Amino acid sequence: MIIDYSAALLIGFLGSSHCLVMCGGIVAALQMAMPATDRAEKFRLQLFLSLGRLTTYAVFGGLVGYFGASAMSLAGISLLWLRLVAGLLLIAMALYIARLWFGLTQLERLGQRLWRHVQPYTKALLPLNSPSKAYRYGVLWGFLPCGLVYSTLSWSLASGSAAAGALLMFMFGLGTLPALLSFGAAANALTTLKNQPSFRYIAALLLALYGGYTIWLALPRLVF
Protein backbone atom coordinates (compact mmCIF):
# COMPACT_ATOMS: atom_id res chain seq x y z
CA MET A 1 0.00 0.00 0.00
CA ILE A 2 2.96 2.36 0.52
CA ILE A 3 3.56 2.16 -3.22
CA ASP A 4 -0.09 3.11 -3.80
CA TYR A 5 0.29 6.22 -1.67
CA SER A 6 3.58 7.16 -3.36
CA ALA A 7 1.93 6.72 -6.77
CA ALA A 8 -1.01 8.90 -5.67
CA LEU A 9 1.44 11.60 -4.53
CA LEU A 10 3.24 11.42 -7.89
CA ILE A 11 -0.03 11.61 -9.84
CA GLY A 12 -1.05 14.68 -7.85
CA PHE A 13 2.29 16.37 -8.47
CA LEU A 14 2.48 15.60 -12.17
CA GLY A 15 -1.21 16.21 -12.78
CA SER A 16 -1.13 19.58 -11.06
CA SER A 17 -0.41 21.21 -14.43
CA HIS A 18 -4.07 20.47 -15.15
CA CYS A 19 -4.90 21.81 -11.67
CA LEU A 20 -3.23 25.09 -12.59
CA VAL A 21 -5.40 25.33 -15.70
CA MET A 22 -8.55 24.42 -13.75
CA CYS A 23 -7.77 26.18 -10.50
CA GLY A 24 -5.02 28.68 -11.27
CA GLY A 25 -7.53 31.40 -12.11
CA ILE A 26 -9.46 30.59 -8.95
CA VAL A 27 -6.30 30.79 -6.86
CA ALA A 28 -5.39 34.17 -8.38
CA ALA A 29 -8.92 35.49 -7.79
CA LEU A 30 -8.92 34.23 -4.21
CA GLN A 31 -5.59 35.90 -3.53
CA MET A 32 -7.24 39.17 -4.50
CA ALA A 33 -10.11 38.28 -2.15
CA MET A 34 -7.68 38.11 0.77
CA PRO A 35 -7.50 41.51 2.47
CA ALA A 36 -4.19 40.61 4.13
CA THR A 37 -1.28 42.61 2.73
CA ASP A 38 1.41 40.65 4.58
CA ARG A 39 2.90 37.94 2.34
CA ALA A 40 3.22 35.42 5.17
CA GLU A 41 -0.41 35.94 6.17
CA LYS A 42 -1.56 35.42 2.58
CA PHE A 43 0.43 32.22 2.37
CA ARG A 44 -1.17 31.04 5.62
CA LEU A 45 -4.64 31.71 4.20
CA GLN A 46 -3.70 29.86 1.00
CA LEU A 47 -2.51 26.93 3.09
CA PHE A 48 -5.82 26.74 4.98
CA LEU A 49 -7.60 26.98 1.64
CA SER A 50 -5.67 23.97 0.36
CA LEU A 51 -6.16 22.05 3.60
CA GLY A 52 -9.91 22.47 3.19
CA ARG A 53 -9.68 21.04 -0.34
CA LEU A 54 -7.61 18.10 0.91
CA THR A 55 -10.18 17.47 3.63
CA THR A 56 -12.91 17.09 1.00
CA TYR A 57 -10.71 14.77 -1.05
CA ALA A 58 -10.00 12.63 2.01
CA VAL A 59 -13.67 12.43 3.01
CA PHE A 60 -14.65 11.44 -0.52
CA GLY A 61 -11.84 8.88 -0.61
CA GLY A 62 -12.94 7.41 2.71
CA LEU A 63 -16.57 7.12 1.61
CA VAL A 64 -15.64 5.55 -1.72
CA GLY A 65 -13.14 3.17 -0.10
CA TYR A 66 -15.74 2.06 2.44
CA PHE A 67 -18.39 1.65 -0.25
CA GLY A 68 -16.05 -0.39 -2.46
CA ALA A 69 -15.07 -2.79 0.30
CA SER A 70 -18.62 -3.12 1.66
CA ALA A 71 -20.27 -3.58 -1.74
CA MET A 72 -17.84 -6.26 -2.84
CA SER A 73 -18.17 -8.04 0.50
CA LEU A 74 -21.99 -8.02 0.38
CA ALA A 75 -21.96 -9.25 -3.20
CA GLY A 76 -19.46 -11.97 -2.34
CA ILE A 77 -17.10 -10.71 -5.03
CA SER A 78 -13.34 -10.62 -4.59
CA LEU A 79 -11.68 -7.23 -4.12
CA LEU A 80 -9.20 -8.41 -6.73
CA TRP A 81 -11.67 -7.24 -9.37
CA LEU A 82 -11.31 -3.73 -7.99
CA ARG A 83 -7.54 -4.09 -8.03
CA LEU A 84 -7.83 -5.01 -11.70
CA VAL A 85 -9.81 -1.81 -12.33
CA ALA A 86 -7.25 0.13 -10.30
CA GLY A 87 -4.46 -1.14 -12.54
CA LEU A 88 -6.33 -0.06 -15.66
CA LEU A 89 -6.96 3.39 -14.15
CA LEU A 90 -3.26 3.76 -13.33
CA ILE A 91 -2.39 3.08 -16.95
CA ALA A 92 -5.03 5.62 -18.06
CA MET A 93 -3.54 8.22 -15.68
CA ALA A 94 -0.05 7.42 -16.99
CA LEU A 95 -1.23 8.14 -20.54
CA TYR A 96 -2.77 11.41 -19.31
CA ILE A 97 0.44 12.48 -17.58
CA ALA A 98 2.45 11.62 -20.70
CA ARG A 99 -0.04 13.79 -22.63
CA LEU A 100 -0.84 10.94 -24.98
CA TRP A 101 -4.53 10.66 -24.07
CA PHE A 102 -6.89 13.16 -22.43
CA GLY A 103 -9.98 11.02 -22.03
CA LEU A 104 -9.96 11.53 -18.26
CA THR A 105 -11.01 15.16 -18.71
CA GLN A 106 -14.37 13.93 -20.01
CA LEU A 107 -15.15 12.81 -16.45
CA GLU A 108 -15.36 16.47 -15.41
CA ARG A 109 -18.79 16.72 -17.00
CA LEU A 110 -20.09 14.29 -14.38
CA GLY A 111 -19.49 16.76 -11.55
CA GLN A 112 -20.74 19.92 -13.24
CA ARG A 113 -24.30 19.46 -11.98
CA LEU A 114 -23.16 19.01 -8.36
CA TRP A 115 -20.78 21.99 -8.60
CA ARG A 116 -23.61 24.26 -9.75
CA HIS A 117 -25.37 23.58 -6.43
CA VAL A 118 -22.23 24.02 -4.31
CA GLN A 119 -20.72 27.12 -5.95
CA PRO A 120 -23.30 29.66 -4.65
CA TYR A 121 -22.29 28.85 -1.04
CA THR A 122 -18.72 29.95 -1.71
CA LYS A 123 -19.80 33.56 -2.23
CA ALA A 124 -20.95 33.88 1.38
CA LEU A 125 -17.36 33.19 2.55
CA LEU A 126 -15.80 36.12 0.69
CA PRO A 127 -13.66 37.99 1.48
CA LEU A 128 -11.27 35.38 2.87
CA ASN A 129 -10.13 37.38 5.87
CA SER A 130 -9.60 34.51 8.33
CA PRO A 131 -8.16 30.97 8.33
CA SER A 132 -11.62 29.63 9.22
CA LYS A 133 -13.25 31.16 6.15
CA ALA A 134 -10.35 30.09 3.94
CA TYR A 135 -10.61 26.52 5.21
CA ARG A 136 -14.39 26.37 4.68
CA TYR A 137 -14.00 27.80 1.18
CA GLY A 138 -11.40 25.11 0.50
CA VAL A 139 -13.81 22.40 1.63
CA LEU A 140 -16.31 23.63 -0.98
CA TRP A 141 -13.55 24.06 -3.56
CA GLY A 142 -12.93 20.30 -3.27
CA PHE A 143 -16.22 19.76 -5.13
CA LEU A 144 -14.88 21.48 -8.26
CA PRO A 145 -15.14 18.97 -11.16
CA CYS A 146 -11.78 17.47 -12.14
CA GLY A 147 -11.22 14.37 -14.25
CA LEU A 148 -7.94 13.52 -12.52
CA VAL A 149 -9.58 13.77 -9.09
CA TYR A 150 -12.43 11.53 -10.20
CA SER A 151 -10.00 8.97 -11.64
CA THR A 152 -8.01 8.85 -8.42
CA LEU A 153 -11.27 8.63 -6.51
CA SER A 154 -12.24 5.62 -8.63
CA TRP A 155 -8.87 4.13 -7.80
CA SER A 156 -9.64 4.50 -4.09
CA LEU A 157 -12.59 2.14 -4.64
CA ALA A 158 -10.02 -0.64 -4.67
CA SER A 159 -8.26 0.55 -1.53
CA GLY A 160 -10.10 -1.98 0.65
CA SER A 161 -11.15 0.33 3.49
CA ALA A 162 -12.32 3.83 4.39
CA ALA A 163 -8.98 4.72 6.00
CA ALA A 164 -6.96 3.56 3.00
CA GLY A 165 -9.25 5.38 0.56
CA ALA A 166 -9.02 8.60 2.59
CA LEU A 167 -5.22 8.43 2.77
CA LEU A 168 -4.94 7.70 -0.94
CA MET A 169 -6.92 10.83 -1.82
CA PHE A 170 -5.10 12.91 0.78
CA MET A 171 -1.73 11.94 -0.73
CA PHE A 172 -3.03 12.83 -4.19
CA GLY A 173 -4.11 16.25 -2.92
CA LEU A 174 -0.78 16.70 -1.16
CA GLY A 175 0.97 16.19 -4.48
CA THR A 176 -0.91 19.15 -5.99
CA LEU A 177 0.18 21.59 -3.27
CA PRO A 178 3.62 22.60 -4.64
CA ALA A 179 2.07 23.87 -7.88
CA LEU A 180 -0.84 25.68 -6.21
CA LEU A 181 1.14 27.19 -3.33
CA SER A 182 4.28 28.19 -5.21
CA PHE A 183 4.75 31.51 -6.95
CA GLY A 184 7.37 33.46 -8.86
CA ALA A 185 10.61 31.64 -9.63
CA ALA A 186 9.53 28.48 -7.77
CA ALA A 187 6.35 28.18 -9.85
CA ASN A 188 8.30 28.71 -13.07
CA ALA A 189 10.85 26.06 -12.08
CA LEU A 190 8.11 23.52 -11.31
CA THR A 191 6.33 24.24 -14.59
CA THR A 192 9.57 23.89 -16.55
CA LEU A 193 10.34 20.56 -14.85
CA LYS A 194 6.89 19.08 -15.48
CA ASN A 195 6.87 20.29 -19.09
CA GLN A 196 10.05 18.40 -19.92
CA PRO A 197 8.98 15.42 -22.09
CA SER A 198 11.68 13.15 -20.64
CA PHE A 199 10.52 13.80 -17.07
CA ARG A 200 6.85 13.22 -17.95
CA TYR A 201 7.57 10.06 -19.93
CA ILE A 202 9.73 8.51 -17.23
CA ALA A 203 7.13 9.26 -14.56
CA ALA A 204 4.31 7.99 -16.80
CA LEU A 205 6.28 4.82 -17.54
CA LEU A 206 6.73 4.16 -13.82
CA LEU A 207 2.98 4.58 -13.24
CA ALA A 208 2.12 2.37 -16.21
CA LEU A 209 4.51 -0.33 -14.99
CA TYR A 210 2.93 -0.22 -11.55
CA GLY A 211 -0.52 -0.40 -13.16
CA GLY A 212 0.61 -3.43 -15.17
CA TYR A 213 2.06 -5.01 -12.04
CA THR A 214 -1.24 -4.46 -10.20
CA ILE A 215 -3.13 -6.16 -13.04
CA TRP A 216 -0.60 -9.02 -13.13
CA LEU A 217 -1.06 -9.65 -9.40
CA ALA A 218 -4.86 -9.69 -9.68
CA LEU A 219 -5.45 -11.67 -12.87
CA PRO A 220 -4.03 -15.10 -11.94
CA ARG A 221 -6.07 -15.21 -8.72
CA LEU A 222 -9.40 -14.29 -10.34
CA VAL A 223 -11.91 -16.94 -11.34
CA PHE A 224 -13.54 -16.13 -14.67
Side-chain angles (χ1 to χ4, degrees), residues 151-173:
S151 299
T152 312
L153 197 57
S154 301
W155 179 23
S156 68
L157 263 174
S159 61
S161 70
L167 186 54
L168 195 71
M169 286 302 295
F170 182 82
M171 293 302 290
F172 164 78

Side-chain angles (χ1 to χ4, degrees), residues 105-176:
T105 57
Q106 299 302 314
L107 292 173
E108 290 164 11
R109 297 178 182 175
L110 298 175
Q112 288 291 347
R113 185 173 300 177
L114 177 61
W115 176 242
R116 282 197 292 267
H117 292 290
V118 173
Q119 189 178 21
Y121 294 100
T122 63
K123 297 176 182 178
L125 295 171
L126 298 176
L128 301 179
N129 51 13
S130 72
S132 172
K133 291 174 75 173
Y135 177 80
R136 284 180 286 157
Y137 194 104
V139 168
L140 297 176
W141 182 12
F143 285 82
L144 185 72
C146 175
L148 200 60
V149 171
Y150 293 161
S151 299
T152 312
L153 197 57
S154 301
W155 179 23
S156 68
L157 263 174
S159 61
S161 70
L167 186 54
L168 195 71
M169 286 302 295
F170 182 82
M171 293 302 290
F172 164 78
L174 201 62
T176 67

Side-chain angles (χ1 to χ4, degrees), residues 85-106:
V85 173
L88 294 171
L89 283 168
L90 279 168
I91 293 174
M93 286 187 271
L95 290 172
Y96 172 84
I97 284 169
R99 298 182 184 176
L100 298 175
W101 182 66
F102 295 92
L104 294 181
T105 57
Q106 299 302 314

